[in-house]
Amino acid sequence: MDEMTEHEKFLWEQLSLQTDINLKTAYLLDDYIDYINAAGLGEEFEAFRKVKAQQEIATSN
């Protein structure tokens, strides 16, 4: 493979940083889901999501 240009190096670094951020966010979300389930809050969370969705629909109209 040919040497990367400075612009390609910059883009690669940015892509790598964003990938790291996305992985950390995914792991954190997975931990939150595990916590919600372990705490027995799954039903409450689903109820919250339904209410929130209804509120968003009401405010968008």
Side-chain angles (χ1 to χ4, degrees):
M1 180 175 170
D2 295 326
E3 287 277 328
M4 285 194 284
T5 65
E6 289 300 314
H7 183 68
E8 289 170 330
K9 287 179 187 177
F10 171 77
L11 292 176
W12 184 257
E13 289 172 5
Q14 294 300 309
L15 179 61
S16 295
L17 288 172
Q18 190 59 50
T19 299
D20 289 344
I21 290 169
N22 288 344
L23 282 173
K24 288 177 184 176
T25 303
Y27 290 137
L28 182 60
L29 181 58
D30 193 47
D31 287 344
Y32 278 129
I33 292 168
D34 288 345
Y35 173 78
I36 287 169
N37 290 328
L41 300 171
E43 290 179 16
E44 289 85 354
F45 181 69
E46 286 302 319
F48 166 78
R49 290 181 64 209
K50 287 179 185 176
V51 169
K52 184 176 177 182
Q54 291 170 348
Q55 290 173 343
E56 288 176 358
I57 290 170
T59 58
S60 68
N61 291 334

